[in-house]
Amino acid sequence: MNLPKRLLQLVHRALGGASKGKGSGAAVDEPPTHSRTDLAAADSLQLSHEDHKDARGRGAKDAAVVHGATGSSGAPVAPYADLVTPRSGCRVKATEKRAVSLPQLKRIYEVARRLCVEEKWTSTDPKREGQPLSPDDITLYDLMKHLGNKATEAEKVSLMEVVARAEQPPEWFVSHWWGERVKDFIACIEGHLRDRQLPAATTYYWICAYGNNQWELADAIPDAITETAFFKALSLPSVKGVVAIVDPRGVMFTRKWCVYEMFIALVSFSHLLFDAYTVREDDGKVVGLCDGLAAVDEVPRVEG
């Protein structure tokens, strides 16, 4: 099955057939007009306040070393000191170059798991609001409310700028929904690294929640889509492809920004690889579909 073509058909249908082939589910021949008004075409899709919050952000100043998660004295603010290593903490002006690695994601999640227990976090899910939250069930909504926003408040920076040493141009752009479990999200990234046989420490993924400065979102969603961080990230020469992380129930396909990101990726950046990963709800196993032959599938040629 041609994964990118099939995904493009699904996304095109979700957006209401905004280009050629309207109503047919056929592949779109031309990219849409890159304006925020394009999102209005997806009337049947949900757009929450958090979708806008995690949408696009722009950086603060030129890259310069600062202490992340610190107070005015420069000392790490408890209980977020575990996020900071002796050499981490930076300012990265270009939001599109605020990608993160798997070890950095794990470091943030480990702190979140600990604080979830110590601080008795409650769920941000409207259906479970106020109920105790298990570390295994932390979503990005939970992580940003209870940890991300608090850890970046002093310096008004992105979470990436707290855990990184300098700018980290992405090799992969991630499209996903904030409502999936962070545990599953990380498992999918691990699966992708394994299948593509990529080095975990130096392979960087652009993920909106970690790269966007949540304190500067008032000006983060310009009318021109080409000026948003996600479009600029996809445009970087360092980017090899897109990874769509699908939650077990496929809610991401009902989120406007997720659908639009995939649409733009498949139409305007069709030269990029497009991989998709999910965690099976029944047994928790990671399942991935790679665009083309993945490194893990390659069989050594036997001479003779």
Side-chain angles (χ1 to χ4, degrees):
M1 181 180 72
N2 188 318
L3 178 61
K5 182 176 180 181
R6 178 56 180 157
L7 280 172
L8 179 56
Q9 292 172 346
L10 293 172
V11 171
H12 176 249
R13 186 176 303 138
L15 284 172
S19 277
K20 291 183 180 181
K22 182 176 181 180
S24 66
V28 180
D29 298 317
E30 298 176 356
T33 301
H34 300 302
S35 169
R36 189 169 43 175
T37 57
D38 289 321
L39 299 178
D43 294 330
S44 63
L45 305 180
Q46 304 173 38
L47 182 61
S48 69
H49 174 64
E50 292 294 336
D51 282 322
H52 279 299
K53 278 188 63 181
D54 76 334
R56 318 289 135 227
R58 288 178 289 188
K61 301 177 181 179
D62 292 335
V65 175
V66 298
H67 291 287
T70 65
S72 58
S73 66
V77 175
Y80 313 116
D82 289 348
L83 291 175
V84 185
T85 66
R87 295 182 62 187
S88 70
C90 63
R91 287 284 175 89
V92 179
K93 181 178 179 180
T95 308
E96 64 271 21
K97 294 183 180 180
R98 296 188 200 141
V100 291
S101 66
L102 177 64
Q104 290 167 343
L105 289 172
K106 284 186 170 182
R107 191 197 318 165
I108 295 170
Y109 183 47
E110 287 170 2
V111 174
R113 290 182 63 89
R114 175 174 59 80
L115 293 180
C116 180
V117 175
E118 293 179 359
E119 299 179 350
K120 297 180 171 57
W121 287 5
T122 58
S123 176
T124 60
D125 185 340
K127 297 179 180 178
R128 301 182 59 246
E129 190 171 1
Q131 296 182 20
L133 182 65
S134 164
D136 284 348
D137 294 330
I138 294 173
T139 68
L140 261 178
Y141 290 123
D142 300 317
L143 188 147
M144 294 308 296
K145 176 184 177 180
H146 296 293
L147 172 60
N149 291 340
K150 294 178 181 178
T152 59
E153 183 176 10
E155 300 291 342
K156 299 296 190 292
V157 294
S158 68
L159 201 48
M160 174 272 181
E161 292 168 289
V162 173
V163 299
R165 301 176 183 178
E167 66 178 32
Q168 297 176 163
E171 290 184 45
W172 296 87
F173 175 93
V174 180
S175 182
H176 70 111
W177 173 50
W178 276 37
E180 83 258 336
R181 302 193 308 172
V182 177
K183 176 181 179 181
D184 293 344
F185 182 95
I186 290 177
C188 287
I189 295 296
E190 288 177 324
H192 183 255
L193 288 167
R194 180 179 61 252
D195 291 346
R196 290 286 183 187
Q197 295 187 1
L198 302 170
T202 56
T203 299
Y204 300 112
Y205 294 84
W206 195 87
I207 305 164
C208 60
Y210 301 92
N212 284 341
N213 186 337
Q214 302 299 319
W215 302 100
E216 295 186 358
L217 288 181
D219 300 322
I221 312 177
D223 286 334
I225 292 296
T226 53
E227 293 301 311
T228 61
F230 96 88
F231 196 96
K232 289 181 178 181
L234 285 168
S235 302
L236 289 173
S238 61
V239 173
K240 298 177 181 178
V242 176
V243 183
I245 296 185
V246 185
D247 56 288
R249 299 187 181 183
V251 177
M252 72 166 294
F253 293 115
T254 70
R255 316 304 282 187
K256 284 183 179 179
W257 272 112
C258 295
V259 172
Y260 199 65
E261 284 172 348
M262 290 188 289
F263 186 65
I264 294 299
L266 291 166
V267 174
S268 298
F269 299 92
S270 58
H271 63 285
L272 296 177
L273 296 171
F274 199 107
D275 299 341
Y277 279 76
T278 190
V279 171
R280 295 197 312 209
E281 198 168 19
D282 55 348
D283 58 11
K285 291 185 178 180
V286 174
V287 178
L289 292 174
C290 288
D291 186 355
L293 189 66
V296 73
D297 297 322
E298 294 180 359
V299 179
R301 179 176 299 178
V302 179
E303 300 294 338

